[in-house]
Amino acid sequence: MPDHAGGAARRAEAVLLCHLENSTASFDGVAAFDILWRTSSLISKLAAGLPEAATPPAVAPGQEEAQRLSQMTQLEALRHDVDQICMLHAQRHDYFLQIKSGLEKMLRLLIMADGDDAASMTVDDLLGLYVSEDQRQAHARALDRPSLSSPWPGGQGEAGAGSALR
Amino acid sequence: MPTILVLDDSATMVMSLAHILKGAGYEVETGMNGREGIDKLNSGIKPNVILTDLNMPELDGIGFIKEARKIAAAKFTPIIVLTTESGGRKRDEARAAGASGWLTKPAEPNQLLAVVKQLCPPR
């Protein structure tokens, strides 16, 4: 492998690493989540205050109670939906941050290997960076793809020019 | 009020879990990794249930469970692993370390609360 090809690959990896590290701010969703949680808490308080607040004067007592219960049920359902969206998004957010952290580690290792075969990573080393079964399955699917043996026209596949992956 | 100790390195996850659990009537203590969890237990906090992530810096979930089981106050406390990991090997490791249960992310609030309420009903 010519040195300049390896050097170009290291530079490309360094740039990719920089992009990933810079994307951390875009992943910061704490402010948005905070608004959702405050919304959920406010809905709970509104539901708790309904008995006094939601009594239209022209409504008969039986209807009044039914209306109040219906409004409380709607508010409770809304709070539940907000909590659910919030928790699911928090988990997705966490999952993508973990994937991003794994990619950063992988790029750092590739850069450190710097073309040295003894220090470079094997494809199996990637398994240690995964945080879910989904990622391991994607790894297996990727290795099964026929295109992997020749991803570029006239290329050398996974261990082609400039790759520190063995 | 029963106390739940929540350990996760994601700030949004910790906040989300704390919000859901407080809304259901629990006291919540939090930590960002296993080491902080051990520190909380050593400081005298006696949680009724512990919820922990697996992939955390400093001390991961498995390491935390192993150390927590050596502390008298947490020897028999139910420890639920809440993680993106769904692999059988990791699950076996957690069980061997002393985990009581397992929830795979994404988990829904109702799912989480059902498990926690079963282990420790809110008062």
Side-chain angles (χ1 to χ4, degrees), chain A residues 29-30 33-34 37-38 40-41 80 83-84 86-88 90-91 93-95 98 130-134 136, chain B residues 8-13 15-17 19-20 53 55 82 84-87 90 105-110 112:
Chain A
V30 174
F33 285 115
D34 187 51
W37 289 314
R38 279 192 286 140
S40 169
S41 298
H80 174 269
D83 280 354
Q84 181 145 334
C86 212
M87 190 167 156
L88 289 175
Q91 289 171 94
H93 180 259
D94 174 39
Y95 184 50
Q98 289 188 62
Y130 299 149
V131 293
S132 74
E133 203 52 28
D134 284 352
R136 289 182 199 100
Chain B
D8 201 308
D9 59 334
S10 155
T12 47
M13 267 313 290
M15 289 163 83
S16 177
L17 291 169
H19 173 81
I20 302 277
D53 188 13
N55 301 300
L82 180 62
T84 52
E85 286 284 4
S86 57
K90 283 277 182 185
K105 293 176 188 172
E108 294 195 5
N110 284 350
L112 173 81

Side-chain angles (χ1 to χ4, degrees), chain A residues 146-163:
Chain A
S147 59
L148 189 69
S149 58
S150 183
W152 316 113
Q156 298 169 40
E158 142 195 5
S163 172

